Amino acid sequence: MATPAIESEVRSYSRNWPVVFDRAGGSRIVSEDGRAYLDFFAGAGALNYGHNHPLLKRALLDYLERDGVAHSLDMLTRAKREFLAEFAERVLAPRGLDYRVQFTGPTGANSVEAALKLARKATGRQSVVAFTGAFHGMSLGSLAVTGSAAKRAGAGIPLGHVHRVPYDGFAGGAVPGLVLLDALLSDRSSGVDLPAAVIVETVQGEGGVNPAGSAWLADLADLCARRGVLLIVDDIQMGCGRTGPFFSFESAGITPDVVCLSKSLSGYGLPMSLTLFRPELDVWQPGEHNGTFRGSNPAFVTATAALREFWSDRVLEKQTTERGLLLQERLGALAVAHPSGVAQVRGRGLVWGVAFREPDAARRVAAEAFARGLLVETSGSLDEVVKLLPPLTSTNDELEEGLAVLDEAVAAVVG
């Protein structure tokens, strides 16, 4: 397919999947020539409930057909009020979480920007601690706390006021990041000032599907509490049920000071982001962080429908946990079958990564999978990991189908 001449060279996914997609439903996306592809990419995690879920679609169509308000900045609307009520009842209250809800600009990066700005404003301190392998967005503040050299290079200016420490398991666990951080903050001659916040992903997605251990996360939360440093959890890709619970940090038994949410929050792929924080951190002046599209009412409508459908009980959470065990078993068998090619499989819930010994193998496996009708992307510092993000609503048969295609693709590349 020829690329329209006016589109920028910055495009990326269309290079990996050079077809024109036309429609989608559930776990499948269909090209304009009629070929259906099983989607284990799911909008980079923005489609946890699949494409065009019928209940969410019906709620959206009904809202639009009655001329519901589409755009409202941060004005009061019925759609916003209903979302806030459902979010408080079905997400915050059952988990005992007392958070203020800020509607930021519609991207995950904007949620991160708001979190960093708020942490600095609330503490009066400038620096932030981030981790190796982290990805938090492409705007300057979020890029500063991102680890990828390739992405950081696009900034064009120095990215400062960030201390970088090793993530859980970095360098094979030979460099304990939390011990290092605690020591640096203890020594007044370390040259490291007390930071405003630490920002962390419980599972690094773009960084290569690196899950942090529950004990490590608990230790991090304890360190932050002892030092008076705010803990920000970036749950943009791993929240909304991707690892099982609604929030990915629940299994570690921690309560962050600030939480960033986006991607699957609207449930329908519509842009929507939130920043959650403890009430005493709500030191914003009116309009101090704003944005024209922080009031997308169609997204509120589908988000409300998603909360009612999927988070009124624990069925989806349990199902995701069970299916995560299925993927762990099947991918473990894949690694055993190809020891010379597959270095490791790792993940949690329904986010999994297959790391290859030769980085180029992952890209070739993804290409072979696409040729066989499966969408998967690569991640990691060298793109050495094939990353699986199937919709949480995928059936067992669809998961088995996708895993079978992946097995064929791996066999074709590493033999």
Side-chain angles (χ1 to χ4, degrees):
M1 180 205 73
T3 300
I6 63 171
E7 187 174 5
S8 167
E9 293 297 322
V10 77
R11 65 190 183 279
S12 60
Y13 289 115
S14 59
R15 300 178 188 275
N16 298 329
W17 305 319
V19 298
V20 177
F21 293 108
D22 181 51
R23 53 194 172 85
S27 299
R28 298 185 191 274
I29 183 168
V30 183
S31 63
E32 66 177 357
D33 63 4
R35 183 175 183 185
Y37 293 81
L38 190 58
D39 187 358
F40 276 22
F41 170 65
L47 296 167
N48 280 4
Y49 314 120
H51 294 271
N52 290 308
H53 190 282
L55 288 175
L56 278 59
K57 178 169 65 175
R58 186 71 264 161
L60 177 60
L61 291 175
D62 287 347
Y63 185 77
L64 296 176
E65 286 171 353
R66 71 170 183 82
D67 290 335
V69 174
H71 178 270
S72 61
L73 291 98
D74 67 356
M75 295 185 288
L76 303 177
T77 65
R78 177 179 169 183
K80 181 200 279 191
R81 182 181 65 196
E82 291 182 354
F83 166 74
L84 285 170
E86 292 293 334
F87 191 76
E89 178 183 347
R90 302 186 192 277
V91 176
L92 299 182
R95 294 161 180 80
L97 297 174
D98 183 17
Y99 284 141
R100 291 285 174 87
V101 178
Q102 178 181 357
F103 295 94
T104 68
T107 67
N110 198 274
S111 175
V112 170
E113 295 285 356
L116 297 175
K117 285 169 63 176
L118 183 62
R120 287 170 168 138
K121 180 178 175 65
T123 64
R125 302 191 289 267
Q126 293 184 344
S127 64
V128 174
V129 171
F131 291 95
T132 55
F135 177 78
H136 297 289
M138 299 294 282
S139 52
L140 289 180
S142 60
L143 198 56
V145 290
T146 288
S148 167
K151 291 179 171 59
R152 288 169 60 85
I157 63 170
L159 299 169
H161 301 293
V162 175
H163 304 298
R164 188 81 50 184
V165 296
Y167 189 72
D168 191 20
F170 179 77
V175 185
L178 299 189
V179 174
L180 173 62
L181 178 59
D182 205 18
L184 289 171
L185 297 182
S186 297
D187 189 337
R188 299 190 62 171
S189 296
S190 69
V192 175
D193 297 326
L194 187 68
V198 173
I199 185 167
V200 68
E201 302 156 275
T202 66
V203 180
Q204 293 182 333
E206 183 69 21
V209 191
N210 304 311
S214 292
W216 187 87
L217 290 168
D219 288 345
L220 174 61
D222 177 68
L223 187 159
C224 289
R226 285 189 289 105
R227 298 291 180 183
V229 175
L230 300 180
L231 176 60
I232 303 171
V233 169
D234 178 345
D235 230 7
I236 288 165
Q237 187 168 81
M238 298 305 156
C240 301
R242 175 54 59 180
T243 66
F246 186 88
F247 296 108
S248 69
F249 56 79
E250 292 181 51
S251 58
I254 65 174
T255 303
D257 299 294
V258 184
V259 181
C260 301
L261 285 177
S262 187
K263 286 198 182 282
S264 280
L265 184 59
S266 78
Y268 203 74
L270 300 177
M272 180 179 176
S273 294
L274 300 179
T275 303
L276 313 176
F277 41 83
R278 293 189 286 108
E280 57 268 34
L281 297 176
D282 196 4
V283 296
W284 291 119
Q285 295 297 311
E288 195 170 11
H289 185 90
N290 57 27
T292 302
F293 296 103
R294 66 192 185 278
S296 177
N297 289 266
F300 297 160
V301 169
T302 55
T304 300
L307 292 174
R308 290 170 177 163
E309 174 66 14
F310 297 107
W311 298 102
S312 296
D313 53 35
R314 298 187 62 189
V315 172
L316 181 66
E317 177 181 345
K318 293 178 179 177
Q319 176 180 284
T320 299
T321 301
E322 291 169 358
R323 289 175 173 172
L325 296 175
L326 170 67
L327 263 67
Q328 182 178 24
E329 177 186 347
R330 295 292 193 275
L331 295 175
L334 176 69
V336 169
H338 302 284
S340 63
V342 177
Q344 188 181 22
V345 297
R346 50 188 183 249
R348 183 177 299 150
L350 283 178
V351 51
W352 284 85
V354 181
F356 289 85
R357 301 187 188 282
E358 293 294 330
D360 186 60
R363 291 186 287 272
R364 290 159 56 204
V365 167
E368 290 286 347
F370 173 68
R372 290 164 169 77
L374 175 69
L375 302 188
V376 291
E377 69 169 334
T378 58
S379 65
S381 59
L382 299 173
D383 272 342
E384 77 280 11
V385 178
V386 170
K387 180 179 175 185
L388 308 180
L389 286 169
L392 308 184
T393 52
S394 301
T395 65
N396 285 344
D397 286 346
E398 287 171 335
L399 293 176
E400 293 282 9
E401 177 187 347
L403 291 170
V405 172
L406 180 66
D407 202 15
E408 292 178 9
V410 172
V413 171
V414 303

